[in-house]
Amino acid sequence: MKKDKALIIIDVQKDFCTGGALPVPNGERIIPVLNKYISLFKKNRFPIVASRDWHPEDSKHFKSNGGVWPKHCVVKSDGAKFHPKLCLPASAKIVSKGTIPSEDGYSAFDARDNNKKKLSRIIKSIGVKEIFIGGLATDYCVKASALSAIKENFKVYLLKDAVKGISSKASADAISLMREKGIELLDFRKASKLFAGRVKYTRKEA
Ligand code: VGL
Ligand code: ZN
């Protein structure tokens, strides 16, 4: 099976949802939709990657150390856990970013797995050409990740029903910029249609 498409889920962690340290307003509302995308990719045997913000206590990204953000997603903390409602399969690849004190780590393309392998190498090595991005937050890590993916020559789809931003104005601007860069917007119905041909071939009868 050719693995030319991958689902990339950005930072769906407790700290970015209601009750967390840096909540995206209603961030958790995208989770049921993301779970549908997860099922769609699983059914078609395409890889699923989840990035996580994974900062050390002394990250310069935090206000307390000269940065702009309240402390969030500190390595191994409860807030850094993936939201419990997100149904990540055991086969999902996890990559961590913002892990050294001097980096913000907005882009998932700077994230690495446990073997220090960068996201782009992980997915390129299995033949991924097209990526489908959802998660948090539209105006920061989703935007940075989607723009890096374009620079790395991937075809990029933004899952518009599976992203949420911190500021609605900044998120709208981010989406305009992403479209200018050639990123295509999809919703679940359109994405299912893109995959429809494949699902048929996996049926036993026909
Ligand atoms: C993010 C601000 C700070 C994000 C991460 O995941 O979009 N935003 N750290
Ligand atoms: Zn962060």
Side-chain angles (χ1 to χ4, degrees), residues 11 16 22 53-55 61-62 69 72-73 97 104-106 141:
D11 304 359
F16 294 125
L22 178 50
D53 226 28
W54 200 243
H55 301 302
H61 183 66
F62 297 149
W69 302 107
H72 61 276
C73 299
K97 63 189 179 57
D104 289 302
Y106 292 121
C141 291

Side-chain angles (χ1 to χ4, degrees), residues 116-133:
K116 300 273 177 275
K117 197 168 170 182
K118 267 192 150 177
L119 172 61
S120 56
R121 274 192 51 215
I122 298 170
I123 58 179
K124 280 181 182 165
S125 69
I126 52 174
V128 171
K129 303 265 187 292
E130 302 184 357
I131 66 164
F132 295 71
I133 298 190

